[in-house]
Each structure stands twice: as structure tokens, then as C-alpha cells.
Amino acid sequence: MMWETGLGIGLMNILSGRDTPPKELLWLSSVFAGIFMCKIVYDLTGVISSSFFNGYNNLNTKQKLEWNNRGFSTVHAIVVAAGSLYLLVVSDLFVNTQDGLFIKKTSTLSDTLLGVSIGYFLSDLSMIFYYYPALGGMEYVVHHGLSMYSITMALLSSQAQFYILMVLFTEITTPFVNLRWRLDIAGMKNSRIYIYNGVALFFGWLVARIVLFMFFFYHMFIHFDQVKEIFPLGFYSLISVPPVISVMNIFWFWKIARGMVKTLRKARHSQ
């Protein structure tokens, strides 16, 4: 109850704008930085692509929209994957737990990273709704909605950021997904780079979104004594949302595997 009250107070401070503490200001600025990043990269993607990629000007309006959208999607994926990897593996944020439970550890960098990610999901989800279903169907709405909900919960409560960062690291597969779409739309499905990217996507997805999620659930199981310390809503969200995302990852992995097998067979027959 205490943590639920703290989360509510933090949210009210942000919404009211009165006497906002530095931490809430950091959250707000990070979210707006994420939105600003998406806007800048979206515009730059269009400018750079039209100048250096001849095929871009031959795309229709819908294709250009998705092309530019996937630009800031790729940048966000690289930023959050690199930041998550640093916080989880390189830094000692979650290693030295002598001064508290790792489940309640946060830092300025982790808060900033979560805020930027919220800004990205807000931007992308807004575009998905506005141009629906041009940029994706209901599965993208569910994925983005659950992701934004979980990240916001971890940011406002300052709990379970370890596991949220682990999930954010799985965004490392997004650049391969986006490159695959771009090569397809550019008519390069028969190129070597398309095949190599497809294989990289398959193994990257296997490691980052299948095996890593298995470790995610195993880690939660062996540290369940700390997981139980999370405030009730956060606890039930942590044990319910990741399984849903995991099922979606398995479904997409099945589609990726089928696509890779089909591409490899076609490449072998064409030799």
C-alpha cells in the first residue's frame, strides 16, 4: 500500500506541475526527449533517404511513412539495447546489493532510459493509431501498450527496473526487422544481404527474445523472495505481462523461421 501511495503521489506531482521534485522533472524531460528524438530522426530519415537512396523517391506515401517510422524505431532500439546492456552487465548497479534489494535499485541513467523509451512508445503508438492499420495491426497495439504500461510502472515506482531493462534489451532485434522490411520494399529479396540479415534475425531473435526470456523467468523464480517485495499491482503485472509478450515473441519467431527457411530454399534452387 505504501508503494502504491508513493506511485500515486509521483504521478500527481507530474500531472499537477506544482512543486515538482528533481526526479519527476527528470522523468518528464526524458519522456519529452524520447518524443523529440523520434520527431528529429523521422524527419532526418526522410531527408537522408531522399538524397542518398534513389528508390526512396519511388515509394508511395504509405511506404515513405513506414520507412521514416522505422528510422526512429531503429535508433530507439540501438539506444535502449546499448543502455540496458551497460546497466545490466557493465555497471554495478544491480550487483552491489549490500545497501538494498536489487529489485528496488535505480539510477539517473536507468530512469532516463525508461523515460526515453516511454517517449518512443508514445510516439510510435500515436502514429499507429492515427494511420491505423498502415503501420501495424492490433498485435502492435497490444505489444506497445503492455510495454509502455510496464515501463511507466517501473519508472514511477522505482521498482523492478532490472527486469524491465532485460526486456528492453530484446529491442536489439528491431534493426534487423526494419532492415528486412527495407530490403523487401526496395526489391532486394534475392540479394545476399537479405539472406544474411534473415539468418542474423533468426539467431538474434532466438537468443534475445526466446532464450533471454527463459532466463528472465528462471531469474524471477530463484529471486522470488525479492520479487514478492514489489508493491501488489507491480507484482501481479510482473508475473502476468512478460508471459503475454513471450507468447507474442514465440509466434513472431515462428513466422521468422518460416520466412528464413523459404528464403534459403529459394536461394539454393536459384544457384
Side-chain angles (χ1 to χ4, degrees):
M1 182 63 67
M2 180 180 64
W3 283 105
E4 288 176 314
T5 302
L7 188 152
I9 292 174
L11 183 59
M12 288 304 296
N13 282 336
I14 291 177
L15 295 177
S16 67
R18 297 191 301 268
D19 301 324
T20 307
K23 193 166 189 177
E24 277 78 3
L25 287 175
L26 172 65
W27 297 345
L28 275 176
S29 60
S30 299
V31 172
F32 282 112
I35 296 173
F36 183 71
M37 175 195 73
C38 293
K39 171 59 177 174
I40 293 298
V41 176
Y42 180 90
D43 292 339
L44 284 177
T45 300
V47 173
I48 295 173
S49 298
S50 62
S51 301
F52 297 97
F53 179 64
N54 294 330
Y56 178 82
N57 295 320
N58 297 325
L59 301 178
N60 58 43
T61 302
K62 176 184 174 182
Q63 291 170 334
K64 287 181 179 179
L65 173 72
E66 186 164 358
W67 183 286
N68 297 345
N69 176 272
R70 288 178 182 269
F72 69 73
S73 170
T74 297
V75 171
H76 165 262
I78 294 173
V79 170
V80 298
S84 297
L85 183 64
Y86 171 78
L87 288 167
L88 292 170
V89 178
V90 180
S91 76
D92 59 354
L93 176 62
F94 301 106
V95 176
N96 181 17
T97 58
Q98 295 179 353
D99 55 342
L101 303 175
F102 81 86
I103 203 71
K104 298 180 180 179
K105 285 298 191 70
T106 66
S107 69
T108 299
L109 178 58
S110 67
D111 282 352
T112 301
L113 201 63
L114 296 188
V116 168
S117 196
I118 291 172
Y120 157 74
F121 281 113
L122 276 172
S123 302
D124 201 29
L125 196 57
S126 297
M127 291 190 67
I128 290 175
F129 277 129
Y130 188 80
Y131 296 103
Y132 190 87
L135 295 177
M138 188 54 62
E139 68 275 13
Y140 287 94
V141 174
V142 173
H143 175 270
H144 280 32
L146 289 176
S147 298
M148 192 164 58
Y149 164 78
S150 302
I151 297 170
T152 303
M153 188 80 66
L155 180 63
L156 295 181
S157 67
S158 297
Q159 296 187 23
Q161 289 194 8
F162 174 84
Y163 292 114
I164 297 301
L165 290 170
M166 194 180 296
V167 175
L168 278 179
F169 176 74
T170 65
E171 289 292 310
I172 192 64
T173 60
T174 299
F176 299 103
V177 175
N178 291 339
L179 179 58
R180 182 182 184 182
W181 180 87
R182 284 196 168 94
L183 292 172
D184 185 9
I185 210 71
M188 300 176 63
K189 290 189 69 172
N190 296 323
S191 64
R192 287 184 176 272
I193 188 173
Y194 184 87
I195 298 174
Y196 296 152
N197 180 74
V199 174
L201 173 60
F202 173 83
F203 286 105
W205 197 282
L206 175 63
V207 173
R209 294 187 183 252
I210 304 299
V211 176
L212 183 59
F213 262 84
M214 293 171 62
F215 175 76
F216 177 97
F217 295 125
Y218 171 73
H219 192 279
M220 279 184 56
F221 175 77
I222 63 176
H223 294 92
F224 200 67
D225 57 324
Q226 292 201 39
V227 174
K228 291 188 297 184
E229 295 295 321
I230 302 174
F231 67 100
L233 181 58
F235 170 77
Y236 290 113
S237 298
L238 185 59
I239 64 176
S240 60
V241 173
V244 175
I245 296 179
S246 181
V247 170
M248 297 177 70
N249 285 337
I250 293 173
F251 171 72
W252 283 325
F253 180 66
W254 173 72
K255 295 182 67 174
I256 290 170
R258 286 185 59 190
M260 185 189 70
V261 171
K262 182 179 179 180
T263 300
L264 291 177
R265 284 178 178 174
K266 185 178 179 180
R268 187 168 61 180
H269 289 319
S270 63
Q271 291 179 349

